[in-house]
Amino acid sequence: AVHSPYAAVRAAAEYLPLAALYGLQPNELRAAQEEEGGDPAAVSALGLCCALAAKKGFLQSRSGAPDAHRAGLLVVRDCAEGALPLLSQPPTSLAPPPFSSSSPPPPPPPSSPPPL
């Protein structure tokens, strides 16, 4: 279970243009950021989630405010399911690094019990 999706949204936003992928306009982002009380020039993960919630119609049941948590979970789910092209380079080698002379040798394998 994801308690706070905003860190994951922030990490995804470093690699992907989330606002463009979800079709968010600059005025929607600006309005969400001003509503949050932050700098309108820089959009935070919470501001992006608020704008996405307003666009998708995700509203909190009691207050009617945009449900940023639900929108954040949508972004996390889209990343996990592959709907967003979040890719990384594979590791250069799958083999463990070789032992150097300064590191201790690996422990011997466990011996088998004596036959009965």
Side-chain angles (χ1 to χ4, degrees), residues 3-113:
H3 293 288
S4 177
Y6 307 118
V9 170
R10 186 180 314 112
E14 290 178 9
Y15 298 102
L16 298 171
L18 291 178
L21 289 171
Y22 283 106
L24 297 173
Q25 301 300 317
N27 61 341
E28 294 170 325
L29 293 170
R30 194 170 26 253
Q33 193 66 13
E34 287 172 356
E35 193 174 288
E36 181 189 323
D39 180 20
V43 179
S44 66
L46 181 61
L48 185 110
C49 290
C50 284
L52 182 60
K55 184 173 185 83
K56 295 279 188 180
F58 298 159
L59 301 176
Q60 295 176 357
S61 60
R62 294 182 186 219
S63 66
D67 190 354
H69 187 264
R70 183 175 172 196
L73 291 176
L74 173 73
V75 174
V76 170
R77 189 177 314 115
D78 285 348
C79 285
E81 291 177 354
L84 295 176
L86 188 60
L87 307 171
S88 64
Q89 292 291 329
T92 56
S93 173
L94 295 177
F99 290 101
S100 67
S101 60
S102 63
S103 65
S111 60
S112 60

